[in-house]
Amino acid sequence: MAQSSVSAKSLSFGSTVFADGKVRFNLWAPSADQVELVLFTADKRQIDVPMIKDAQGWCSLVTDEAQHGTRYQYRINGDLMVPDPASRFQPEDVHGPSMVVDPAQYKWNDQKWEGRPWHEAVVYELHVGSFTPEGTFKAVEKKLDYLQDLGVTAIEIMPVSDFPGKRNWGYDGVLPYAPDSSYGTPDDLRDLIQAAHSKNMMVLLDVVYNHFGPEGNYLHAYAKPFFTECHKTPWGAGINYDGAESAVVRQYFINNVLYWLNEYHFDGLRLDAVNTIRDDSAKHVLVEIAEAVNEGPRRKRQIHLVLENDDNNAKLLERDAKGKVKLYNAQWNDDIHHALHVIATDEKDGYYADYAESTSNNDGIGHLARCLTEGFAYQNEPSPYRHGEIRGQVSKHLPPTAFVSFVQNHDQIGNRAFGERIHLLADDSINKAISAILCISPSIPMFYMGEEWGSQAPFFFFCDLGPELAPLVTEGRRNEFAKFKQFQDPAKRNAIPDPVNIETFAKSRLDWSDLEQKDHKEWLKLHKELLQVRKKHVMPLLASSEPPAARIALRQRGLMILEWKFAGKGTLRLVANLSDTEVSSEEIKQPAGTKLIFDSSSAGTAKVADSVLAPWSVRWLVENDTIQ
């Protein structure tokens, strides 16, 4: 065995295969007294090698006893066996050995792929394990033709970082660099991404940098500075982004961002719940992440960074004078979801109360109109649900593409007690109107898997934790709903599906046989039509470097008229009746010089010039449209 030390300046996380075949192992273990590398060779030998720790806590070793495919662990203080926290693959799950992976062995053929501009994004969120019966990367790859035909241009994959057990939403991951083995191998994931690129489709990945999951995280045993008691999160102690020794922690996650973009050719990342990332540094880690992307992969191809951020921080979404993204392309706009949900279902519990009434007394229509034209519904204004706390920042100067709009996603379905989708909560006429608004409005549309055919399959919260944690998760899940009136009876709470029961997961899988039914075929046909309208008439407008000038008219209860004027390109106009009664107004009439591009009303295009609009009807028109 050849062994050598490496200077701290050249250190990177995990195992690295060199051109000469040797492998370098790096572990940051400032809290460990003793560290050994344990290699499991192909000929069934076990090699234990003591590692020397430097003054900064790094243990580094280069050896010719390992190669691509070699499995290994670290022994901490002569006892505890742990995986590599930057493991590239865990064939035996989070408690087992890590595997050396040489990314250079994969042969890419997408070298000409430079990505697609963000304004062309039509996002489809999916969970690998429940999207298909097989629940694998390879099975998702087989559905790419279907998604392309639908009109999807960007697949967003829920987190794949290794989690405990065989099923999980992915937000309980503990090894951020390792694709979960239940979905397939690292090369299976690369195959999926490469196949998507061949079909002119982007692939985005959800990543979680606000916490580690409750099982399989061994960092506390040998790298305590990864965490801080100065900041708390809903999941416990915060990750140390701003305290002593935080530089290594920050680099661990920045490297992870670059890892997914460079080694897997992902076209972008969606960062989960960044409002729970607490960082009092002079430069917030979110800014440092985006700057690292700007200085790296964004120089070569189009990379898109998306946030989930309950703080509604518009500063992270700023554009420069030429309309170019400075840091982050967009944010999931929970505000528009909440407004649409209230309009569709009339639910007003919890945070929905903030969207039930607007200043124009339009039962949430005012909030929806503001989201569609200005981004956030709350822009530095008090939130009644939050007891008057000021919410959001001014966003009306940002382009519509800075916001991802949706009426369903994994959270908004799965965090309901019984995982109901919108098609079980609202009538078809309402869902049709909402779909027409979502698909054609200038903001970036996102769909949750199965939404396009009106799937009524639930999406429950599910996981596969060990025997110590499983009962606590079951109890905790049901107690979450104890504050709601309908679940104050313990018997009713016990009816909430058990997250650790495998049947809960099985029921969450999409049923593709739905597509054999007439009504589901009609929903799919509708979404294809809507996305074709978007591609033909809206995407060309969004290519403008200047945000459109928007106008809102709320003339009577349920009637909403919006316009977006794109400088030098044309005007997009929406006329919608989001009520159960017919409305009449002269402003409903089609203006001269405009072209109707979609009409959901039962009256059809023959009466588009009338001043009357049927209940739950949506019309889209364009002016000066150069697309024939």
Side-chain angles (χ1 to χ4, degrees):
M1 169 183 289
Q3 180 175 342
S4 63
S5 62
V6 181
S7 68
K9 290 183 178 180
S10 67
L11 285 172
S12 61
F13 298 89
S15 61
T16 303
V17 181
F18 292 135
D20 62 4
K22 295 178 182 179
V23 181
R24 181 181 68 192
F25 296 89
N26 288 328
L27 179 71
W28 190 56
S31 307
D33 296 324
Q34 179 185 348
V35 177
E36 296 168 272
L37 171 66
V38 181
L39 298 174
F40 304 96
T41 66
D43 57 2
K44 307 300 183 183
R45 289 183 298 139
Q46 178 176 319
I47 302 175
D48 299 357
V49 188
M51 301 183 77
I52 300 172
K53 186 171 69 172
D54 68 16
Q56 288 73 46
W58 283 100
C59 301
S60 181
L61 183 149
V62 177
T63 177
D64 54 9
E65 290 283 359
Q67 59 187 332
H68 176 80
T70 298
R71 301 190 184 192
Y72 67 99
Q73 285 180 296
Y74 295 106
R75 184 182 290 117
I76 306 299
N77 297 335
D79 180 29
L80 180 65
M81 297 284 279
V82 303
D84 189 337
S87 168
R88 282 180 167 89
F89 192 48
Q90 292 289 121
E92 301 173 42
D93 208 5
V94 297
H95 301 293
S98 305
M99 190 176 91
V100 175
V101 175
D102 181 7
Q105 294 205 8
Y106 186 81
K107 303 304 178 186
W108 290 96
N109 59 24
D110 68 347
Q111 288 81 2
K112 294 183 179 180
W113 173 258
E114 296 181 353
R116 296 186 64 162
W118 180 242
H119 73 267
E120 294 181 357
V122 173
V123 184
Y124 189 95
E125 187 192 16
L126 64 85
H127 176 266
V128 173
S130 55
F131 180 57
T132 65
E134 301 90 341
T136 63
F137 296 129
K138 286 187 176 295
V140 175
E141 184 180 344
K142 293 177 182 178
K143 296 294 186 183
L144 290 179
D145 286 338
Y146 163 84
L147 293 172
Q148 183 184 41
D149 184 58
L150 171 60
V152 169
T153 63
I155 304 164
E156 181 175 326
I157 299 175
M158 288 170 64
V160 300
S161 296
D162 210 322
F163 49 77
K166 297 296 184 184
R167 54 194 182 274
N168 197 288
W169 275 17
Y171 300 92
D172 287 331
V174 292
L175 295 169
Y177 290 74
D180 196 89
S181 59
S182 65
Y183 298 154
T185 67
D187 282 355
D188 291 340
L189 177 54
R190 292 185 175 97
D191 285 344
L192 166 60
I193 296 167
Q194 182 153 253
H197 290 170
S198 72
K199 300 179 186 299
N200 201 27
M201 298 172 70
M202 300 178 281
V203 187
L204 313 177
L205 177 68
D206 274 20
V207 290
V208 182
Y209 299 146
N210 49 43
H211 77 292
F212 288 89
E215 180 185 336
N217 172 25
Y218 292 95
L219 286 166
H220 290 280
Y222 58 86
K224 293 180 181 179
F226 247 91
F227 305 95
T228 175
E229 292 297 330
C230 295
H231 301 301
K232 297 293 184 181
T233 75
W235 311 279
I239 293 175
N240 176 24
Y241 285 113
D242 57 7
E245 300 184 89
S246 61
V248 176
V249 179
R250 292 167 75 96
Q251 199 59 47
Y252 175 85
F253 289 104
I254 292 169
N255 281 11
N256 186 255
V257 168
L258 300 176
Y259 164 80
W260 289 119
L261 299 177
N262 291 330
E263 288 197 15
Y264 282 87
H265 294 197
F266 276 103
D267 299 282
L269 303 174
R270 177 263 193 189
L271 281 65
D272 179 66
V274 299
N275 54 288
T276 60
I277 295 176
R278 301 302 181 192
D279 181 8
D280 294 332
S281 304
K283 179 182 288 186
H284 197 285
V285 69
L286 290 175
V287 175
E288 194 171 351
I289 284 172
E291 289 179 348
V293 174
N294 290 343
E295 294 167 6
R298 264 184 177 158
R299 290 179 177 268
K300 300 177 182 178
R301 56 192 174 96
Q302 301 192 67
I303 299 293
H304 309 302
L305 299 178
V306 181
L307 298 172
E308 181 192 28
N309 189 356
D310 190 59
D311 289 341
N312 284 355
N313 185 347
K315 293 179 181 178
L316 293 170
L317 309 175
E318 294 290 348
R319 271 60 172 165
D320 65 17
K322 295 182 179 180
K324 183 180 179 182
V325 170
K326 290 184 178 181
L327 299 172
Y328 290 86
N329 295 75
Q331 178 184 312
W332 276 21
N333 193 356
D334 281 341
D335 280 4
I336 197 169
H337 166 271
H338 299 343
L340 285 168
H341 189 90
V342 168
I343 292 167
T345 67
D346 203 34
E347 290 185 7
K348 299 177 182 178
D349 291 338
Y351 49 66
Y352 289 131
D354 273 357
Y355 305 85
E357 296 291 339
S358 73
T359 55
S360 55
N361 195 31
N362 273 280
D363 288 340
I365 302 283
H367 289 298
L368 173 60
R370 194 178 199 194
C371 288
L372 289 169
T373 56
E374 298 185 7
F376 299 136
Y378 284 84
Q379 300 181 32
N380 196 36
E381 293 152 346
S383 157
Y385 169 68
R386 291 171 169 81
H387 308 291
E389 176 185 332
I390 298 299
R391 173 162 165 74
Q393 295 177 349
V394 175
S395 60
K396 61 183 178 181
H397 63 290
L398 294 171
T401 51
F403 305 93
V404 178
S405 297
F406 51 90
V407 70
Q408 299 190 83
N409 66 21
H410 71 273
D411 268 332
Q412 302 301 340
I413 303 171
N415 285 335
R416 299 180 67 86
F418 296 104
E420 305 101 325
R421 292 174 178 255
I422 194 70
H423 285 272
L424 283 176
L425 302 173
D427 292 339
D428 283 355
S429 59
I430 298 174
N431 282 316
K432 186 175 182 180
I434 287 175
S435 294
I437 291 173
L438 179 69
C439 289
I440 301 179
S441 68
S443 52
I444 300 298
M446 184 179 77
F447 309 97
Y448 190 65
M449 59 182 196
E451 178 180 347
E452 72 279 8
W453 76 63
S455 173
Q456 296 183 1
F459 185 72
F460 296 123
F461 174 68
F462 51 78
C463 57
D464 182 22
L465 299 178
E468 292 184 3
L469 288 173
L472 299 177
V473 171
T474 300
E475 181 182 4
R477 172 66 173 173
R478 289 169 175 168
N479 287 343
E480 282 181 22
F481 295 94
K483 58 185 176 182
F484 294 96
K485 185 179 297 185
Q486 67 189 102
F487 294 112
Q488 289 181 355
D489 181 349
K492 290 185 177 180
R493 290 202 301 275
N494 287 337
I496 296 173
D498 183 353
V500 299
N501 189 321
I502 193 170
E503 285 302 311
T504 302
F505 167 68
K507 291 176 181 177
S508 298
R509 279 190 168 130
L510 282 185
D511 184 356
W512 287 84
S513 68
D514 282 351
L515 288 175
E516 299 171 6
Q517 301 175 25
K518 182 180 178 181
D519 56 340
H520 291 300
K521 288 181 179 179
E522 290 176 352
W523 277 110
L524 182 61
K525 181 181 177 182
L526 170 66
H527 280 87
K528 287 182 179 181
E529 178 187 354
L530 289 167
L531 292 179
Q532 280 299 312
V533 171
R534 180 180 187 83
K535 179 180 179 181
K536 184 176 181 180
H537 298 284
V538 180
M539 285 184 186
L541 297 175
L542 298 178
S544 174
S545 61
E546 297 181 27
R551 183 178 75 88
I552 302 175
L554 304 172
R555 294 305 184 217
Q556 53 186 285
R557 197 172 189 87
L559 177 59
M560 178 174 67
I561 301 173
L562 308 180
E563 283 187 352
W564 297 264
K565 293 182 180 293
F566 294 85
K569 289 185 174 291
T571 299
L572 183 67
R573 179 180 172 89
L574 167 65
V575 181
N577 175 13
L578 302 181
S579 74
D580 293 323
T581 58
E582 186 180 83
V583 295
S584 176
S585 170
E586 288 299 305
E587 284 197 89
I588 293 174
K589 290 184 176 181
Q590 180 176 356
T594 62
K595 177 169 62 177
L596 180 71
I597 57 175
F598 182 81
D599 182 6
S600 72
S601 68
S602 57
T605 58
K607 294 188 177 182
V608 72
D610 287 355
S611 58
V612 175
L613 197 61
W616 298 105
S617 293
V618 173
R619 289 176 185 164
W620 283 99
L621 305 99
V622 291
E623 183 181 2
N624 297 330
D625 186 23
T626 59
I627 309 299
Q628 300 301 322

